[in-house]
């Protein structure tokens, strides 16, 4: 039996804010509902590394879902039909890339990928991404080649919607870089996403991978 449970993400119908970070999310915000903690933004819920795949291409959706450790169904309330309707799914980027590669004959999948890459280029401030990556390399000199770019792109996408250019310098401080590296290690090198997918709560999942994260950090930092 598949133990993976699909998490649910709701596109909110009214003004909402995150109960953890307090961020005002506006209308049509993407939120998760977490027990008594209430509504969380995707950043606080640790889902903001996932990529949205709109409904419509069943083969691509099925494959991406299968390859993704962590996935969430995106639902929106339909006022007309008085029920939640599925808009698509959130999946790991690597799962989507693999699914797209298998649907290579599928022109639609190729177009989607080009579109996604263009969107990302438009959204990211390349110079900032480069500086962030350099900071990662300085502080974690032993991390595997290329890691600094993965960490940096994700961190900068995360900041791009949130802080203006003036605050970016601050986001390059050692603590911010360290947190971005920790988030990367958790998602990529520990079973953290798997634990979330199996319904563990975030606090518990984090505790379970703490030692593993610390040991990788130490290895990457060692001069
Ligand atoms: Zn939040």
């Amino acid at each position: 039996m598949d133990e993976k449970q699909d998490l649910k993400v709701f596109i909110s119908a009214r003004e909402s804010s995150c109960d953890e970070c307090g961020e005002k999310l506006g209308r049509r915000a993407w939120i998760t509902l977490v027990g008594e903690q209430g509504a969380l933004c995707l950043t606080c819920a640790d889902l903001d590394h996932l990529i949205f795949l709109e409904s419509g291409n069943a083969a691509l959706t099925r494959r991406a879902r299968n390859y993704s450790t962590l996935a969430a169904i995106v639902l929106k309330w339909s006022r007309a039909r008085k029920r939640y309707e599925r808009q698509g799914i959130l999946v790991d980027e690597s799962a989507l890339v693999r699914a797209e590669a298998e649907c290579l004959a599928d022109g639609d999948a190729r177009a989607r990928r080009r579109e996604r890459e263009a969107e990302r280029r438009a959204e990211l401030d390349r110079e900032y991404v480069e500086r962030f990556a350099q900071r990662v390399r300085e502080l974690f000199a032993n991390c595997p080649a290329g890691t600094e770019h993965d960490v940096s792109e994700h961190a900068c996408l995360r900041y791009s919607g949130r802080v203006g250019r003036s605050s970016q310098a601050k986001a390059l401080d050692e603590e911010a870089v360290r947190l971005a590296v920790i988030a990367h290690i958790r998602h990529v090198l520990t079973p953290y996403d798997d634990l979330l997918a199996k319904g563990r709560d975030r606090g518990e999942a984090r505790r379970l991978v703490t030692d593993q994260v610390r040991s990788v950090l130490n290895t990457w930092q060692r001069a």
Side-chain angles (χ1 to χ4, degrees):
M1 206 181 91
D2 189 5
E3 284 185 71
K4 276 199 272 186
Q5 305 165 14
D6 282 320
L7 306 173
K8 292 190 178 74
V9 165
F10 297 93
I11 301 178
S12 126
R14 51 198 147 92
E15 291 286 331
S16 30
S17 55
C18 174
D19 288 322
E20 188 161 304
C21 67
E23 183 100 10
K24 290 216 183 337
L25 305 167
R27 268 171 184 284
R28 312 183 77 72
W30 293 38
I31 53 169
T32 51
L33 301 173
V34 184
E36 282 153 23
Q37 295 163 55
L40 297 188
C41 72
L42 298 194
T43 298
C44 287
D46 265 346
L47 298 176
D48 67 349
H49 60 303
L50 301 179
I51 306 260
F52 180 58
L53 173 60
E54 210 177 314
S55 297
N57 187 327
L60 188 61
T61 296
R62 195 180 54 249
R63 288 191 159 116
R65 170 67 197 86
N66 284 343
Y67 298 143
S68 194
T69 308
L70 188 58
I73 299 171
V74 179
L75 298 161
K76 193 168 98 185
W77 180 255
S78 159
R79 236 184 278 171
R81 297 200 181 87
K82 302 232 182 321
R83 60 178 162 97
Y84 282 103
E85 289 188 321
R86 189 179 170 130
Q87 307 297 302
I89 56 172
L90 287 166
V91 290
D92 296 332
E93 182 163 26
S94 58
L96 183 54
V97 167
R98 188 171 164 199
E100 281 170 340
E102 289 181 3
C103 293
L104 213 60
D106 186 338
D108 192 43
R110 280 202 309 274
R112 262 195 39 78
R113 184 181 199 158
R114 274 198 303 274
E115 210 174 286
R116 193 170 74 243
E117 279 161 5
E119 260 170 39
R120 176 168 302 184
R121 273 195 302 276
E123 213 175 322
L124 285 174
D125 174 344
R126 286 326 308 191
E127 198 188 318
Y128 179 54
V129 174
E130 210 30 66
R131 273 165 50 216
F132 199 102
Q134 274 168 24
R135 283 298 280 154
V136 172
R137 180 51 66 195
E138 278 162 32
L139 295 168
F140 299 92
N142 290 338
C143 75
T147 300
E148 68 269 37
H149 299 291
D150 294 342
V151 172
S152 164
E153 286 220 348
H154 176 229
C156 298
L157 276 175
R158 173 178 277 201
Y159 288 124
S160 69
R162 300 191 153 225
V163 295
R165 268 163 193 277
S166 57
S167 336
Q168 285 185 352
K170 216 171 123 196
L172 282 168
D173 75 21
E174 190 166 338
E175 189 52 20
V177 172
R178 194 180 143 80
L179 289 175
V181 170
I182 288 175
H184 172 84
I185 293 172
R186 242 190 239 127
H187 288 307
V188 178
L189 298 171
T190 78
Y192 181 69
D193 282 7
D194 200 39
L195 292 166
L196 292 182
K198 286 175 179 159
R200 299 274 191 152
D201 88 32
R202 231 172 356 132
E204 196 192 355
R206 285 188 180 197
R207 272 193 302 281
L208 288 168
V209 302
T210 304
D211 290 347
Q212 228 176 323
V213 169
R214 194 177 300 136
S215 125
V216 176
L217 271 182
N218 287 340
T219 313
W220 287 6
Q221 256 170 328
R222 201 169 299 143

